[in-house]
Amino acid sequence: MLRLTIALLAMVAVAKTGNEPAPAAQQIVAFKQRTSGPIGIMTTSAGSPIELKDASSTLNSNLILNEYFMDSLTHIVRERIPERLVHAKAAGAFGYFEVTHDIKNICKAKLFSKIGKKTPVAARFSPVIVQRGGTDTSRDARGFAIKFYTEDGNFDIVGFNTPMYAYKDPLLFSSFVRALKRNPATNLVDGNTLWDFLTLQPENLHMFLLVFGDRGVPDGYRHMPGFSIQTYQVVNESGEKHFVRFHFIPDAGIKNLNSKQAQKISGIDPDYATRDLYNAIGKGKFPSWSVSIQILTLDDVKNAKFDVFDVTKVLPQDEFPLKPLGRLVLNKNPTNYFAEVEQLAFNPANLVPGILGGPTKIFEARRLAYRDAQYYRLGANFNKIPVNCPIQNHVLAYNRDGRPPVKDNGKDTPNYYPNTFNGPVPYKDENRVDLIEIYQDDPNNFDQARELYMNEMTKEERSRLVENILYSLGGAIEELQDRAVKIFTIIHPDLGYRISQGLKVNRTSYYRDDEWLNNN
């Protein structure tokens, strides 16, 4: 009874902001206020009106002949679709991208064609590992995905809230997910599998310094940055090549939660970030991000001292400064979560003329993996689901049939190409440019991980990083702890020393001061 009372009080607490009811808590009330009474006669899914007795009771009546009962019962057991393997829990919203700076000299994509141009967008923000019923304040990386509905079809940036990714070789994807997910025997998250993978593939630790650091728990999605991860090849009208990385910096500022705050919030409101985003938009406090790009020429690519396409590394801003591009604004909540967020399907292969994608194996693999995941979850016609439809141009594809929705299924147009019967034809690009081919060496990002630890984190941030690493690593076996200490020492001796000493004493007070730095 006490637990129930606490839970109810918590629900009341998150339902209000000050004295004003929160939009998320008032959604169903707002619907009633917009309508003068019942909106119509309820029907079966086939449209047949339902009589009052059939909707009131089935006792002492024939169940099979009650179509309302049969329609409801057989539908509800089919309402769940496969959960995403990763990024299962998410918040979403809609809005627009507005160009504020001209980049036609490097990219001919129509969404960047002129200053002031607005393109509709859909956004989805998501922890990577937690399941749909998990908490928004878990310590995890986050997905930052944007779908641009352009005149030339959809362009998807499937990014992260970290400026780098975990691994370089897509062969590791399956093992990465399995190591971080639940142990198949115990059905519990297992520190041994996590640290076994991280120490066998240490390039992951560059990103995980941020995950275990302050960035590991954003204070809601409105305060979370986004990064394209990939270095995209773009071309202008003349066919000249350039390369860009996208940055989305929240105008409200980057804010994060510490571990204690995150744990406390998780116990009160596991949907904290989702609720915060919905309420902000519902109150007209539209979240926005300043969008910038880092630009490289082909000579920059050839002369760089490192692989500028390596997703486990950042592009140093002193070498490749940020150039302003535009502004992302989210001003509309989803009307129906399942229809508009759960079915919202991203694919890095969704590119438009002027944006060719990335030349890496990671990008190549994601083109396959994301498409295949949507086929599994939503069916081959997932791009015909309204939220995934390219709303600013007319689709003329030769695909037919398959699992619904099929919409008009191409009507009576020819269903094969080439044909002599006036079916749609491809366009000719006189300045066609193909994606460049690159050679990629083995991953090695210790220098950037060292730079992140020493020069991009404050003394206090380094201490919190160590505390969070020890909280996770402390439960792993000694062999993995020793292996981790060796790798952290390579990143920086101070980091390795603190982790080593913290493991020995099994408490946090030992490494709160910069002891190693002060003594060396």
Side-chain angles (χ1 to χ4, degrees), residues 49 101 116 164 179 199 237-238 276-277 289 300 354 419 436 447-449:
H101 292 74
M164 77 293 284
T199 53
E237 290 288 356
S238 301
D276 175 74
L277 180 66
W289 288 258
D300 290 331
N419 65 76
I436 65 170
D447 56 337
Q448 289 200 358

Side-chain angles (χ1 to χ4, degrees), residues 6 12-13 32 53 60 87 93 127 169 232 353 416 476 504:
I6 293 173
V12 172
K32 181 179 181 180
K53 185 177 184 303
N60 305 308
H87 302 280
D169 189 338
Y232 286 76
Y416 63 96
K504 286 179 181 178

Side-chain angles (χ1 to χ4, degrees), residues 168-170 230 358-367 438 440:
K168 190 174 184 177
D169 189 338
Q230 302 285 343
T360 64
K361 290 302 173 186
I362 278 285
F363 194 86
E364 191 175 338
R366 292 179 94 198
R367 293 184 70 147
I438 61 172
Q440 291 196 283

Side-chain angles (χ1 to χ4, degrees), residues 283-518:
K283 293 178 180 179
K285 299 176 181 178
F286 303 139
S288 63
W289 288 258
S290 293
V291 185
S292 302
I293 53 176
Q294 291 176 285
I295 304 172
L296 295 80
T297 65
L298 189 57
D299 285 340
D300 290 331
V301 171
K302 293 178 179 178
N303 298 325
K305 297 178 182 178
F306 67 99
D307 179 4
V308 297
F309 299 103
D310 186 345
V311 293
T312 73
K313 294 183 176 180
V314 299
L315 299 181
Q317 292 187 25
D318 56 348
E319 295 182 52
F320 309 106
L322 292 176
K323 303 290 186 181
L325 172 59
R327 188 166 176 255
L328 173 71
V329 179
L330 299 180
N331 59 9
K332 181 181 179 295
N333 280 315
T335 303
N336 182 280
Y337 181 88
F338 183 89
E340 297 179 306
V341 180
E342 184 63 21
Q343 292 192 118
L344 182 56
F346 292 91
N347 184 357
N350 286 347
L351 302 165
V352 293
I355 305 175
L356 281 67
T360 64
K361 290 302 173 186
I362 278 285
F363 194 86
E364 191 175 338
R366 292 179 94 198
R367 293 184 70 147
L368 168 64
Y370 277 75
R371 171 182 276 112
D372 191 50
Q374 309 307 348
Y375 284 163
Y376 170 66
R377 295 183 62 250
L378 304 171
N381 290 308
F382 69 87
N383 277 325
K384 293 181 179 179
I385 296 171
V387 75
N388 299 320
C389 288
I391 59 177
Q392 290 209 80
N393 71 337
H394 182 50
V395 175
L396 291 172
Y398 280 98
N399 298 333
R400 295 291 188 275
D401 306 341
R403 194 167 106 194
V406 297
K407 301 189 80 171
D408 63 17
N409 203 33
K411 293 185 176 180
D412 58 351
T413 61
N415 67 343
Y416 63 96
Y417 176 82
N419 65 76
T420 58
F421 301 104
N422 295 337
V425 295
Y427 78 101
K428 174 71 173 176
D429 186 349
E430 299 296 339
N431 293 312
R432 178 185 170 93
V433 176
D434 291 327
L435 194 63
I436 65 170
E437 295 184 5
I438 61 172
Y439 171 82
Q440 291 196 283
D441 53 9
D442 291 334
N444 185 338
N445 55 16
F446 285 130
D447 56 337
Q448 289 200 358
R450 185 177 303 115
E451 172 71 15
L452 171 61
Y453 178 72
M454 283 308 302
N455 296 325
E456 297 182 32
M457 290 184 177
T458 65
K459 174 181 175 179
E460 292 74 20
E461 287 174 331
R462 289 194 291 269
S463 292
R464 290 191 291 270
L465 167 68
V466 172
E467 290 180 22
N468 294 330
I469 290 174
L470 286 172
Y471 182 81
S472 174
L473 182 59
I477 61 173
E478 187 173 345
E479 176 186 352
L480 299 178
Q481 292 178 348
D482 292 343
R483 196 193 296 170
V485 167
K486 290 178 182 178
I487 296 172
F488 284 127
T489 302
I490 294 172
I491 293 175
H492 197 282
D494 172 66
L495 179 58
Y497 175 78
R498 291 185 182 198
I499 299 296
S500 173
Q501 295 305 305
L503 289 170
K504 286 179 181 178
V505 300
N506 196 27
R507 57 189 174 87
T508 60
S509 60
Y510 200 99
Y511 49 84
R512 283 190 178 277
D513 298 320
D514 282 346
E515 182 172 328
W516 189 92
L517 290 178
N518 293 335

